[in-house]
Amino acid sequence: MNPLAIPEIVIRRLPLYLRTLNLLVDDGQTVTSSQELGDRLGISSTQIRKDLSYFGEFGKQGTGYDIRYLRDQLRQILQVDRHWNLVLIGAGDLGRAVLRYSGFEEGGFSIVAVLDKDERKIGRQIGKLKVLAIARLPEVIKEYGTQIAIIAVPASDAQEVANALVRAGVKAILTYAPITLSLPANVCVEYIDPVIGLQSMAYSLSPGHA
Amino acid sequence: MNPLAIPEIVIRRLPLYLRTLNLLVDDGQTVTSSQELGDRLGISSTQIRKDLSYFGEFGKQGTGYDIRYLRDQLRQILQVDRHWNLVLIGAGDLGRAVLRYSGFEEGGFSIVAVLDKDERKIGRQIGKLKVLAIARLPEVIKEYGTQIAIIAVPASDAQEVANALVRAGVKAILTYAPITLSLPANVCVEYIDPVIGLQSMAYSLSPGHA
DNA sequence: TAGATTGTTAATCGATTAACAATC
DNA sequence: TAGATTGTTAATCGATTAACAATC
């Protein structure tokens, strides 16, 4: 089966399955079903089975799925059965919140450096990391073999930062800046913009909708 | 035209169009085209015209769209031509970053109160707001006519907070907690979980993909 | 065995896009 | 007018789901 044939939308659901399996493990449960996973996620059981079938057969008829086994398989598929070294650009409020969020580590990602262009922030300690000058980006990327970066700078600086990241060899970017980045086709990008979600909910809240 | 017939996915793109129009206004531009908008967003011009056509005719053949006019129309459609009063639950690092982010205000949302259950945080000043006890949720919601809330508490507390919000009459929730919430069907929810995006990029970065 | 649940096919459903008439 | 761009239709494309054989 050609992995290139797997729809992007399927890939984007796998982390949700993984997250739910982790919660079930924490609950001490050992076996689950596509029905239970679907109920937890608001997704149909058929869709979950179909999604998993792109990658193999992980369940037992009549029984369901061994939670730890399926979790480990999904980790392998998503390549988060190891840790990725991330760099974070931007040491403002958002950058600090990102640094202190434990979910990255649990999800298979370690932030190994934080960089900023603001002279006043450089040298400051945030958790275990000291803020580095943005000029040191290339050496940091090289030292840690980093392929993924997080952008937490204002929108006005984001494209410039993205360009620097691409020049330094970064292959994937998660950005909090509310602006669409221009990037080479071979660089992945994910956008986090809470306002998009709020505005689409505002539409639904207006009288006459939903 | 029945507004209920408009696909959710179309609604979710309108904020992107609005965001781009705002950037173009900032650049001093007065007219744009579906082509230009599409180039900026990585969306086809046909799709943009099709999306807009659900709501009316906003352009001129041969010329394109008046940026301010289209922006104002989109604001009306999305109901962000006014401000919504939001409450924020959670005054940790993430809550503080949310409070200091100016994008909400620019997008049509004002955070009017921040609440936390941690005694040590209650009474602390964050920007213009003083952290309130979670017990005061109902009165705050009532006072400000709030319909939308932001959850910035740990995953383990998120469902409980969501329940309290629903009881208090909140109709839409933006949550940063990495857990799928159980909510009545008439309550909107948007999830922000950066790890989902990172994990799907990790898949794409593995040798043989992308 | 009977009941439950998987993996998969084929049908349905919905979203995107190509093409183009209308018209500024 | 000629060129550009919209709004819209119909065709294409892709994703979801219903149904069910397989089997634990």
Side-chain angles (χ1 to χ4, degrees):
Chain A
M1 201 168 293
N2 179 4
L4 291 174
I6 296 166
E8 173 68 17
I9 197 164
V10 172
I11 303 299
R12 295 189 58 82
R13 277 192 295 261
L14 299 186
L16 297 172
Y17 304 160
L18 177 54
R19 193 177 78 180
T20 307
L21 292 166
N22 281 325
L23 291 173
L24 290 170
V25 168
D26 292 347
D27 287 354
Q29 214 172 309
T30 60
V31 170
T32 189
S33 65
S34 58
Q35 183 69 53
E36 183 180 41
L37 286 173
D39 288 348
R40 290 229 179 193
L41 286 164
I43 290 176
S44 77
S45 62
T46 306
Q47 180 154 83
I48 290 174
R49 294 199 304 279
K50 171 82 169 168
D51 285 352
L52 296 176
S53 77
Y54 282 100
F55 303 95
E57 306 190 356
F58 306 108
K60 262 202 187 73
Q61 282 104 326
T63 310
Y65 302 90
D66 180 274
I67 293 175
R68 282 168 188 278
Y69 176 73
L70 183 56
R71 179 190 62 173
D72 292 346
Q73 292 295 309
L74 285 178
R75 280 186 179 155
Q76 269 184 42
I77 291 164
L78 288 170
Q79 308 283 323
V80 293
D81 52 348
R82 60 165 179 119
H83 268 72
W84 296 78
N85 289 336
L86 310 192
V87 298
L88 169 65
I89 317 296
D93 290 302
L94 178 58
R96 284 200 298 279
V98 165
L99 266 175
R100 288 182 177 136
Y101 176 54
S102 62
F104 292 113
E105 199 64 43
E106 288 156 21
F109 304 93
S110 302
I111 298 173
V112 294
V114 52
L115 299 90
D116 203 294
K117 73 171 186 182
D118 184 346
E119 295 290 348
R120 291 164 301 178
K121 289 181 187 141
I122 295 165
R124 261 167 61 178
Q125 193 79 23
I126 305 179
K128 290 177 184 168
L129 298 176
K130 195 169 271 187
V131 180
L132 304 177
I134 190 82
R136 297 185 57 188
L137 183 62
E139 72 182 88
V140 169
I141 297 277
K142 197 172 174 191
E143 180 181 348
Y144 292 100
T146 304
Q147 295 185 72
I148 309 177
I150 301 178
I151 295 180
V153 302
S156 51
D157 295 337
Q159 183 63 58
E160 193 187 345
V161 166
N163 295 343
L165 289 168
V166 170
R167 278 196 303 271
V170 163
K171 290 286 174 244
I173 295 173
L174 178 80
T175 177
Y176 287 88
I179 185 175
T180 303
L181 299 174
S182 287
L183 293 169
N186 67 330
V187 175
C188 300
V189 61
E190 287 281 335
Y191 297 93
I192 303 277
D193 182 355
V195 173
I196 302 299
L198 284 175
Q199 291 187 335
S200 62
M201 289 197 293
Y203 173 85
S204 306
L205 286 180
S206 70
H209 305 289
Chain B
M1 201 169 293
N2 178 3
L4 291 176
I6 295 166
E8 173 68 17
I9 197 164
V10 171
I11 303 299
R12 295 189 60 79
R13 279 192 294 262
L14 300 186
L16 297 173
Y17 303 160
L18 177 53
R19 193 178 77 180
T20 307
L21 292 166
N22 282 325
L23 291 173
L24 290 170
V25 167
D26 292 346
D27 287 355
Q29 215 173 309
T30 59
V31 170
T32 189
S33 64
S34 57
Q35 183 69 52
E36 182 180 42
L37 286 172
D39 288 347
R40 290 231 180 192
L41 285 164
I43 289 176
S44 76
S45 62
T46 306
Q47 181 154 81
I48 292 174
R49 293 199 303 279
K50 171 82 170 168
D51 286 353
L52 295 177
S53 77
Y54 283 101
F55 303 95
E57 306 189 357
F58 306 108
K60 258 201 189 73
Q61 282 104 326
T63 310
Y65 301 90
D66 180 274
I67 292 176
R68 282 169 187 277
Y69 175 72
L70 182 56
R71 179 190 62 174
D72 291 346
Q73 291 295 308
L74 285 179
R75 280 185 179 156
Q76 270 185 41
I77 292 165
L78 288 170
Q79 308 283 323
V80 293
D81 52 346
R82 58 163 178 123
H83 268 70
W84 296 79
N85 289 336
L86 311 191
V87 298
L88 168 66
I89 317 296
D93 290 303
L94 178 58
R96 284 200 298 280
V98 165
L99 267 176
R100 288 182 177 135
Y101 177 53
S102 62
F104 292 112
E105 198 64 43
E106 288 155 21
F109 304 93
S110 302
I111 298 173
V112 295
V114 52
L115 300 90
D116 202 294
K117 74 171 185 183
D118 184 346
E119 295 288 349
R120 290 165 301 177
K121 288 180 187 141
I122 295 164
R124 260 167 62 178
Q125 193 80 21
I126 305 180
K128 290 178 182 168
L129 298 175
K130 194 169 273 188
V131 180
L132 303 177
I134 190 81
R136 298 185 57 189
L137 184 62
E139 73 184 85
V140 169
I141 298 277
K142 196 171 173 190
E143 180 181 349
Y144 292 100
T146 303
Q147 294 186 71
I148 309 177
I150 300 178
I151 295 180
V153 304
S156 52
D157 295 337
Q159 182 64 58
E160 193 188 344
V161 166
N163 295 344
L165 289 169
V166 170
R167 278 196 303 273
V170 162
K171 290 287 175 242
I173 296 173
L174 177 80
T175 176
Y176 286 88
I179 186 175
T180 303
L181 299 173
S182 287
L183 294 168
N186 66 331
V187 175
C188 300
V189 61
E190 288 281 335
Y191 297 94
I192 303 277
D193 182 355
V195 173
I196 302 299
L198 283 175
Q199 290 186 335
S200 62
M201 289 197 293
Y203 173 86
S204 307
L205 286 180
S206 70
H209 304 289

